Amino acid sequence: MAIKVSGERLFTLQTKDSSYQMYADEKDVLLHTYYGRRIDGENLAELIVRGDVGFSGNPPQAQGDRSYSLDCLPQELPSSGVGDYREDCIRLRHADGSTAADFRFESYEVLPGSYRIPGMPALYDNEKEKGETLVISMREAASSIVVRLYYGVFEEENVITRAVRVENRGKEPVYLDKCLSCCLDYSFGELELMTFVGRHAMERTVERNPVGHTKLEIGSIRGASSHQYNPAAILCSPGTTEDWGDCWGMCLVYSGNFIFSAQQDQRGLIRAVMGIHPTQFCFCLKEGEAFDAPQVILSHSGQGLARLSHQYHRILREHMCRGKYRDVKRPVLINNWEATYFDFDQEKLLAIAEKAAGLGIEMLVLDDGWFGKRNDDNSGLGDWFVNEKKLGGSLQQLGEKIHQMGMKFGLWFEPEMISEDSDLYREHPDWAFQIPGRQPNRSRNQLVLDMSRQEVREYLLERMTNILSKAPIDYVKWDMNRSVCDIYSHGGYSAGEVYHRHILGVYDLLERLLERFPHLLLEGCSGGGGRFDAAMLYYSPQIWCSDNTDAVNRLSIQYGTSFFYPVSAVGSHVSAVPNHQTGRSVPFRTRGHVALAGSFGYELDLNRVTQEEQEQVKEQIAQFHEYYELTHTGSYYRLSEPAGRLCAWAFVDERKDRALVTLVMTSAEGNPAPVHLKVKGLDPDRQYRCSLSGAVRSGRTWMNGGLTLPWTPGEYESLLILFEGMEVR
Ligand code: DGJ
């Protein structure tokens, strides 16, 4: 049993290597006593020392005990307006206008299996491991609001989840002004915070800051999880490295507005919270209604960041990604976007496909511009009708021709958007977000469809179903190219509900589409990595990682992405040089090596590359197949940071039979110092042959002694080095 309950009030959640503990104290406050390396279920509430702290008041139940203050206690559900002055998780507004929310432990139940959240993604049980669920009910002191805290435990995976449900069991409506999903109170020690921040075409670079009394906060109010701040964060002990130290991950399973903050309080306790951003959030809960907040996936490693990443990679790959392509090998694709942009016709597409098929590429993806009036990005979104004139025939004919070449066929959509210059907009201007009496903001000259409206989703489902059932389509790239604002729903929902209902609408459409077309491989995209989050992986097992295809910039983008997300989720393509985003020229081989650390593909016209590069395509595809198991399900090790003169990483398969090291030089130096590397993840007691020198040494020696390259590669050159385990006798 991963969930232990003692004395009906002490809850210890045990995973293989970690423990999480809570205790409902004598005043029914649910205290957080511990999260970290595994302990043996003793009550750690005694570690919490109370004290009479000036200006930190005492709840009525303290009955004169001036040392009992909610303002100083580590809690699971910090209430608001009742004497805890730190960050709260839940805010209520009652019918009389008062705003107190004071939640106390009422009851609990332990359920087999993992829990589902209505309308939202969550980790699921698979064939290998089933989770266990603890549900704790907390009752509000003076109203009929009940909060149900859901804790899921995946013991083998070292993962604990948390979600929140707020129920109005009374007659009066109550407003929910804030409802975060998770709170972690760390009673002892100093911590550092790692966040993954950036911008369009430069997503998820790593930032690390000490947590102090100044609040550290990230989030998104863009209607999507965003390029700017990824909805995932790591707290770690100072000095934590890839292989050493305690670290705690928090990863939100949500694609809309979110907030994460961490701050030290007056007595040194650090509180970290995560959930839906309270800005423009307000749900009215009438009698009998409930609100569900999304899941947070927690994981702890006592052995550094690499272990933490492996835990997230496994759980997301095996308990979040779904469908056929969770397990089935992904096809090597070629996408026409950077090859043609909007300027294509059937002839061009077939020429690209033909060349690609001859070199071993397995799927052609037709990107933006095949529908409505869409020869640039100013018009046509919403008119999901095939432009047969531009394609020189039907999509079915095109798809069949591609299939006849032995390739799969994929198609781009941007369902959530609408152009003002479209028939859809002319017919249904009220389907777009815009506030009556105000001019809407445009971005890429487009508006956002109000996905909270059923009729909008029905239209999109009908259109997509029509297209996907008439043509042989194996893959859909689901794009989303602007941030949301001008929130106002002509469908009747109040502004405070729309951001969330919009995202629920997106999930609903995705779910229903996949129900109809279960064979589809979906690739998520939002101008590259603007919605690269755990929730989207529930629908699309791969996500276009960034609109930046420059192999050197990709080193830091893919490095930052790797802390939480598995390589199998990272859409990564070889594109032309000079690179369209940066103007940089990187050797073809290096572009291939960097893209191999992802869901691999090409995004250029292979008719325009040299014969030698075409040979390299064949070689790269052979490497993709040869190393697929390693790269897609192996353990991923960061061997360096991307900011130095080289960037290196390794994949090791589960049996530790093979390790593949990739190394890219990011700069050149005169009289260069030698390059030295240490491998990770090998079996120390096994002998491995290194493909570079042919030398056979023990895993221990390769990992500790490492290897020095006999020459120093030049700027942007790269290398793949294979370590093959010898037969174990
Ligand atoms: C943004 C995507 O990230 C690109 O790959 C491409 O699909 C364009 N949109 C098309 O408009």
Side-chain angles (χ1 to χ4, degrees):
M1 284 293 278
I3 298 172
K4 288 199 181 125
V5 183
S6 325
E8 305 292 295
R9 305 181 80 81
L10 179 68
F11 307 94
T12 310
L13 315 181
Q14 298 284 31
T15 75
K16 202 163 46 127
D17 305 309
S18 68
S19 304
Y20 185 112
Q21 196 185 68
M22 297 160 276
Y23 174 63
D25 75 5
E26 71 284 4
K27 296 169 183 63
D28 294 328
V29 172
L30 190 60
L31 300 178
H32 175 80
T33 63
Y34 181 79
Y35 184 30
R37 295 182 198 199
R38 199 178 154 108
I39 52 159
D40 298 316
E42 300 87 345
N43 189 348
L44 291 190
E46 66 183 47
L47 297 182
I48 303 163
V49 173
R50 299 174 186 176
D52 182 357
V53 178
F55 290 84
S56 290
N58 321 109
Q61 303 82 356
Q63 293 176 340
D65 175 1
R66 288 168 50 154
S67 72
Y68 190 95
S69 174
L70 294 177
D71 200 25
C72 302
L73 292 169
Q75 294 172 60
E76 285 294 314
L77 183 66
S79 309
S80 77
V82 287
D84 182 348
Y85 298 95
R86 300 164 296 175
E87 191 67 42
D88 51 18
C89 277
I90 183 158
R91 277 184 211 155
L92 300 176
R93 214 158 9 102
H94 303 279
D96 64 1
S98 64
T99 56
D102 189 0
F103 286 95
R104 302 299 167 103
F105 173 77
E106 186 181 59
S107 61
Y108 76 93
E109 53 188 321
V110 177
L111 305 170
S114 59
Y115 59 89
R116 314 302 312 145
I117 306 178
M120 268 188 285
L123 292 177
Y124 63 87
D125 294 336
N126 69 14
E127 318 69 42
K128 286 194 224 147
E129 190 181 2
K130 300 210 180 325
E132 283 177 45
T133 300
L134 168 70
V135 187
I136 295 186
S137 293
M138 309 279 289
R139 180 171 283 279
E140 213 276 306
S143 67
S144 301
I145 301 294
V146 170
V147 164
R148 284 163 71 77
L149 302 175
Y150 286 79
Y151 296 87
V153 187
F154 288 90
E155 197 174 354
E156 276 305 302
E157 314 290 350
N158 283 322
V159 161
I160 287 169
T161 67
R162 206 189 76 186
V164 171
R165 184 180 176 86
V166 184
E167 297 172 353
N168 185 354
R169 297 189 184 168
K171 297 244 172 295
E172 298 283 347
V174 170
Y175 287 93
L176 187 60
D177 284 333
K178 182 179 183 185
C179 183
L180 301 190
S181 297
C182 186
C183 172
L184 278 183
D185 275 353
Y186 297 81
S187 298
F188 306 103
E190 291 168 9
L191 291 176
E192 291 174 350
L193 172 66
M194 293 172 71
T195 49
F196 305 88
V197 306
R199 56 185 185 273
H200 175 230
M202 211 57 227
E203 301 88 342
R204 293 177 294 285
T205 48
V206 181
E207 220 171 70
R208 189 160 170 167
N209 293 295
V211 182
H213 297 285
T214 309
K215 188 189 281 179
L216 297 177
E217 182 179 305
I218 58 162
S220 164
I221 51 165
R222 294 170 176 272
S225 43
S226 90
H227 299 85
Q228 285 72 13
Y229 302 99
N230 196 259
I234 297 172
L235 286 151
C236 56
S237 334
T240 293
T241 65
E242 288 291 334
D243 318 299
W244 179 89
D246 283 284
C247 41
W248 295 260
M250 292 174 85
C251 174
L252 185 64
V253 186
Y254 192 59
S255 313
N257 293 348
F258 80 95
I259 194 167
F260 168 89
S261 75
Q263 186 178 30
Q264 201 165 32
D265 76 1
Q266 55 181 343
R267 299 177 84 210
L269 178 146
I270 289 172
R271 173 167 291 177
V273 298
M274 192 174 223
I276 295 181
H277 204 296
T279 294
Q280 287 194 266
F281 173 91
C282 173
F283 264 74
C284 178
L285 296 184
K286 300 201 195 81
E287 180 183 359
E289 288 183 343
F291 177 84
D292 288 289
Q295 184 175 65
V296 173
I297 305 173
L298 302 171
S299 193
H300 166 268
S301 155
Q303 291 172 53
L305 296 161
R307 174 66 65 92
L308 187 73
S309 294
H310 296 166
Q311 290 169 181
Y312 275 103
H313 294 176
R314 269 246 304 272
I315 200 86
L316 291 176
R317 219 167 42 212
E318 297 177 6
H319 294 265
M320 185 60 76
C321 295
R322 298 179 299 168
K324 173 175 155 191
Y325 285 98
R326 183 189 72 179
D327 305 316
V328 167
K329 194 170 179 179
R330 316 280 170 76
V332 177
L333 66 84
I334 184 155
N335 180 304
N336 75 307
W337 179 242
E338 287 198 18
T340 65
Y341 295 102
F342 291 102
D343 182 19
F344 59 81
D345 54 20
Q346 186 177 126
E347 209 183 319
K348 267 196 197 174
L349 294 173
L350 291 178
I352 293 175
E354 217 153 29
K355 175 58 78 182
L359 296 173
I361 292 173
E362 299 161 316
M363 177 161 75
L364 176 88
V365 175
L366 172 53
D367 211 280
D368 197 353
W370 56 266
F371 54 92
K373 189 185 105 197
R374 182 84 171 162
N375 288 318
D376 56 36
D377 57 13
N378 293 308
S379 62
L381 290 174
D383 293 344
W384 301 108
F385 295 90
V386 181
N387 184 344
E388 296 196 350
K389 198 160 158 237
K390 183 169 178 178
L391 287 185
S394 69
L395 201 61
Q396 182 187 1
Q397 286 162 343
L398 179 63
E400 278 167 3
K401 285 183 188 164
I402 306 288
H403 273 198
Q404 276 155 20
M405 292 178 196
M407 292 174 105
K408 295 185 187 309
F409 181 47
L411 195 63
W412 179 96
F413 282 93
E414 193 179 1
E416 300 151 64
M417 295 293 149
I418 182 165
S419 306
E420 284 164 282
D421 184 3
S422 68
D423 292 339
L424 185 68
Y425 185 80
R426 284 181 277 276
E427 210 177 312
H428 297 288
D430 61 311
W431 283 11
F433 282 132
Q434 44 190 332
I435 303 170
R438 290 175 195 267
Q439 280 284 314
N441 287 276
R442 282 104 188 163
S443 179
R444 214 192 188 203
N445 236 341
Q446 61 200 49
L447 303 180
V448 184
L449 280 172
D450 178 355
M451 299 293 288
S452 71
R453 292 179 68 169
Q454 183 77 26
E455 60 271 54
V456 172
R457 302 200 297 273
E458 293 310 327
Y459 166 79
L460 293 169
L461 188 63
E462 186 282 317
R463 277 295 81 220
M464 293 182 84
T465 301
N466 181 291
I467 286 160
L468 295 179
S469 45
K470 280 194 186 144
I473 294 168
D474 308 284
Y475 157 113
V476 161
K477 178 172 169 187
W478 182 297
D479 206 347
M480 195 287 251
N481 282 304
R482 65 158 284 182
S483 305
V484 185
C485 64
D486 301 307
I487 280 294
Y488 181 93
S489 178
H490 295 260
Y493 291 122
S494 71
E497 299 192 4
V498 174
Y499 266 118
H500 180 60
R501 291 197 184 275
H502 175 70
I503 283 295
L504 292 182
V506 174
Y507 293 152
D508 176 60
L509 181 59
L510 281 158
E511 187 69 37
R512 288 164 70 201
L513 189 76
L514 284 172
E515 262 166 30
R516 285 193 190 179
F517 300 97
H519 71 282
L520 267 191
L521 168 58
L522 238 62
E523 176 150 355
C525 177
S526 171
R531 206 160 57 183
F532 204 115
D533 55 62
M536 287 310 291
L537 291 178
Y538 195 63
Y539 308 100
S540 56
Q542 62 193 58
I543 301 176
W544 182 224
C545 180
S546 175
D547 270 353
N548 188 341
T549 58
D550 173 275
V552 174
N553 279 178
R554 273 291 182 124
L555 295 174
S556 60
I557 297 169
Q558 293 179 189
Y559 170 85
T561 305
S562 77
F563 281 86
F564 282 91
Y565 305 104
V567 160
S568 58
V570 174
S572 193
H573 300 167
V574 175
S575 64
V577 292
N579 180 269
H580 294 192
Q581 292 80 40
T582 63
R584 189 191 336 242
S585 290
V586 171
F588 201 87
R589 176 164 282 112
T590 306
R591 284 177 265 155
H593 288 166
V594 174
L596 276 171
S599 273
F600 184 67
Y602 291 83
E603 189 149 340
L604 74 173
D605 186 347
L606 289 169
N607 293 298
R608 300 203 193 151
V609 307
T610 64
Q611 191 58 41
E612 195 198 327
E613 288 172 335
Q614 291 181 23
E615 290 309 313
Q616 284 183 34
V617 171
K618 288 190 196 158
E619 199 185 309
Q620 286 165 356
I621 291 174
Q623 285 167 343
F624 166 82
H625 291 299
E626 163 142 27
Y627 302 133
Y628 186 83
E629 200 199 321
L630 267 170
T631 56
H632 279 236
T633 55
S635 300
Y636 178 87
Y637 291 88
R638 294 170 289 267
L639 301 183
S640 75
E641 290 184 13
R645 65 193 270 253
L646 63 88
C647 181
W649 60 92
F651 302 98
V652 183
D653 67 14
E654 218 180 319
R655 293 179 305 275
K656 297 183 189 285
D657 284 342
R658 296 195 303 171
L660 181 70
V661 173
T662 312
L663 176 148
V664 180
M665 298 301 291
T666 53
S667 64
E669 286 171 2
N671 192 10
V675 171
H676 186 73
L677 258 190
K678 287 181 181 171
V679 195
K680 290 186 180 176
L682 301 178
D683 176 348
D685 295 323
R686 195 161 166 194
Q687 297 289 312
Y688 290 86
R689 172 175 286 118
C690 168
S691 65
L692 197 65
S693 60
V696 176
R697 291 184 189 145
S698 71
R700 182 175 293 102
T701 305
W702 287 123
M703 291 192 290
N704 296 335
L707 74 156
T708 303
L709 299 188
W711 79 102
T712 301
E715 186 175 47
Y716 306 149
E717 280 180 10
S718 65
L719 217 60
L720 288 186
I721 310 171
L722 184 67
F723 291 83
E724 269 184 297
M726 315 299 282
E727 281 298 305
V728 190
R729 286 192 200 133

